[in-house]
């Protein structure tokens, strides 16, 4: 059944991914209700209606499902139970099963392993004594990651040896964790894939991702990898959504090892930061694709019409006030996206810009030029403030 423009859609979560979903849906003519526990949120500000409530609030979930034709989520930490409740009376995608797998690193790795996808060697640490009883030596140096609620490098610590592992586990307050072997990476790439209600599949071009302190810094698209490797990553992404019987948009993050072997890092049951370039560089954006999968529409064409480099704008840039946006806006092929967040905290994603062009190497140079200019202004301001003191 197709849900047509004019209908009210719902989204759980009021962050920037929700905001970009709302904008894409409204552009086509849908209305959107956002549910988020925070009274002021990026998506809540642009929504047609806003419900301020916890994700497990039964009355709020009832209100949402009664006024929406279909509901999606913008992040994976929604209680799977809430999605099941909503699904009793409303179209919901992605489904509770897929979200429950993606929100837990252990369930995720087990699902991937059972389905024959390679992941980095790991061990599950349920309690401190597991560190002594499991043979962790082969996994060191490694990265200790909490099994749930980690994002943007939060809830993980690099550990060189067993002594550091014990300290890190205590610092994280002894939650259920996975210890992953630290992999020598040649590259990191990701693929956003969409699967429609009738099983129709479309992948977006492969993004090459560079992280700083575990947070995505830059995405370069198309990724500077072989055609063969790009095809392989897209095939894996398609296979994952098929195996999950997934309906919606999903992102697969990959590690590329030195010999071009692909490992899956993690999956996200939603559009992804590394897919933001698609808003400006593809015929259909990842957010329009999310609308299309949710409403039972045919999937949009994902072909890329311009090479693109996306740069994240983190709260650190605001240290000395609002950055000078002329540095981005004066560039005729740069697209600025700010999420409307009021508090600029260090490491917080406040916005991004995407530079477009014909050649990915030239576009990368231009994107870095803008990045350096923004950062130079920031450090000049810093110098000045020191002199003023
Ligand atoms: P998050 O959920 O915060 O995105 P990830 O597990 O994707 O956490 O880790 C964030 C980043 O840290 C990765 O994109 C990668 O750059 C680095 N990283 C994570 N695990 C490993 C690993 N096992 N080996 C090497 N680098 C890693
Ligand atoms: Mg990640």
């Amino acid at each position: 059944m197709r849900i047509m423009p004019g209908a009210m859609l719902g989204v759980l979560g009021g962050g920037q991914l929700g905001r970009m979903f709302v904008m894409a849906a409204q552009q086509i003519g849908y209305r959107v209700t956002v549910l988020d526990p925070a009274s002021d949120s990026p998506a809540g500000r642009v929504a047609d209606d806003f419900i301020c409530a916890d994700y497990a609030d039964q009355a709020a979930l009832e209100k949402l499902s009664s006024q929406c034709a279909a509901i999606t989520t913008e992040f994976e930490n929604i209680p799977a139970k809430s999605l099941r409740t909503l699904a009793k009376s409303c179209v919901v995608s992605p489904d509770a099963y897929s979200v429950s797998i993606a929100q837990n690193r252990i369930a995720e790795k087990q699902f991937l392993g059972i389905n024959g996808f390679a992941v980095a060697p790991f061990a599950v640490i349920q309690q401190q004594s597991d560190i002594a009883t499991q043979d962790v030596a082969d996994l060191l140096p490694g990265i200790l990651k909490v099994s749930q609620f980690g994002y943007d490098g939060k809830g993980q610590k690099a550990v060189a040896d067993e002594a550091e592992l014990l300290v890190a586990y205590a610092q994280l307050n002894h939650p259920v964790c996975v210890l992953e072997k630290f992999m020598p990476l040649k590259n990191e790439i990701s693929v956003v894939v969409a699967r429609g209600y009738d099983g129709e599949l479309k992948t977006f071009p492969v993004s090459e991702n560079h992280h700083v302190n575990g947070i995505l810094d830059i995405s370069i698209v198309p990724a500077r990898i072989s055609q063969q490797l790009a095809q392989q990553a897209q095939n894996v992404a398609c296979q994952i959504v098929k195996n999950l019987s997934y309906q919606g948009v999903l992102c697969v993050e990959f590690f590329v090892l030195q010999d071009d072997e692909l490992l899956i890092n993690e999956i996200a049951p939603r559009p992804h930061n590394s897919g933001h370039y698609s808003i400006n560089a593809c015929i259909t954006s990842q957010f329009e694709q999310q609308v299309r999968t949710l409403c039972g529409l045919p999937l949009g064409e994902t072909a890329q019409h311009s090479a693109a480099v996306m740069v994240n704008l983190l709260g650190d840039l605001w240290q000395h006030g609002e950055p000078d946006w002329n540095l981005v806006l004066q560039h005729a092929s740069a697209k600025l996206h700010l999420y409307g967040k009021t508090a600029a905290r260090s490491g917080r994603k406040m916005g991004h810009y995407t530079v477009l062009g014909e050649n990915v190497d030239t576009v990368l140079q231009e994107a870095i030029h803008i990045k350096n200019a923004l950062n130079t202004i920031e450090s000049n301001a810093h110098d000045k403030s020191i002199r003023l003191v």
Side-chain angles (χ1 to χ4, degrees), residues 79-246:
K81 189 165 165 248
S82 297
L83 294 175
R84 273 187 216 106
T85 306
L86 292 169
K88 284 183 194 150
S89 57
C90 202
V91 171
V92 176
S93 86
D95 64 316
Y97 168 71
S98 301
V99 173
S100 69
I101 286 177
Q103 69 187 195
N104 183 306
R105 291 190 195 276
I106 299 166
E108 182 177 66
K109 287 182 195 299
Q110 278 163 354
F111 163 81
L112 293 170
I114 288 166
N115 286 278
F117 300 111
V119 299
F122 72 99
V124 176
I125 311 284
Q126 306 266 8
Q127 57 208 358
Q128 184 160 327
S129 58
D130 288 348
I131 293 173
T133 51
Q134 300 217 27
D135 195 4
V136 294
D138 284 352
L139 300 172
L140 295 168
I143 302 187
L144 185 68
K145 304 181 178 180
V146 293
S147 65
Q148 275 188 281
F149 305 119
Y151 69 99
D152 287 347
K154 292 191 179 69
Q156 52 179 272
K157 289 182 187 294
V159 288
D161 51 34
E162 204 168 315
E164 281 190 20
L165 176 57
L166 283 165
V167 172
Y169 192 61
Q171 281 172 347
L172 291 171
N173 283 326
H174 308 95
V176 178
C177 283
V178 295
L179 172 65
E180 247 178 65
K181 190 178 171 75
F182 186 83
M183 304 308 289
L185 305 181
K186 180 171 166 186
N187 227 332
E188 289 189 77
I189 60 173
S190 59
V191 174
V192 174
V193 58
R195 186 165 176 275
Y197 71 103
D198 57 355
E200 184 188 8
L201 282 169
K202 277 203 199 306
T203 52
F204 283 87
V206 181
S207 171
E208 171 187 333
N209 304 321
H210 297 265
H211 296 80
V212 175
N213 298 327
I215 308 177
L216 183 66
D217 184 30
I218 297 186
S219 286
I220 303 166
V221 199
R224 296 166 299 172
I225 55 172
S226 70
Q227 275 292 333
Q228 196 193 349
L229 189 61
Q231 191 60 57
Q232 194 190 333
Q234 287 173 320
N235 291 347
V236 168
C238 288
Q239 202 54 51
I240 288 175
V241 285
K242 274 198 237 170
N243 290 4
L244 283 169
S245 299
Y246 192 83

Side-chain angles (χ1 to χ4, degrees), residues 5-6 9 19-32 46 48 279-280 283-285 287-288 291:
L9 307 178
R19 178 183 174 99
M20 292 183 260
F21 169 82
V22 171
M23 288 169 156
Q26 288 173 337
Q27 182 176 303
I28 303 173
Y30 293 96
R31 294 170 300 134
V32 187
V46 295
D48 295 271
I279 298 173
N280 301 114
I283 292 176
T284 305
S285 77
F287 299 100
E288 179 179 337
V291 175

Side-chain angles (χ1 to χ4, degrees), residues 272-318:
H272 193 262
N273 194 170
S274 64
H276 289 354
Y277 78 91
S278 63
I279 298 173
N280 301 114
C282 294
I283 292 176
T284 305
S285 77
Q286 59 172 350
F287 299 100
E288 179 179 337
Q289 206 72 304
Q290 186 182 17
V291 175
R292 285 172 170 269
T293 56
L294 184 63
C295 295
L297 307 179
L299 299 184
E301 173 58 53
T302 54
Q304 187 178 358
H305 51 70
S306 303
V309 172
M310 186 233 49
V311 179
N312 267 338
L313 298 164
L314 300 185
D316 311 62
L317 262 187
W318 274 251

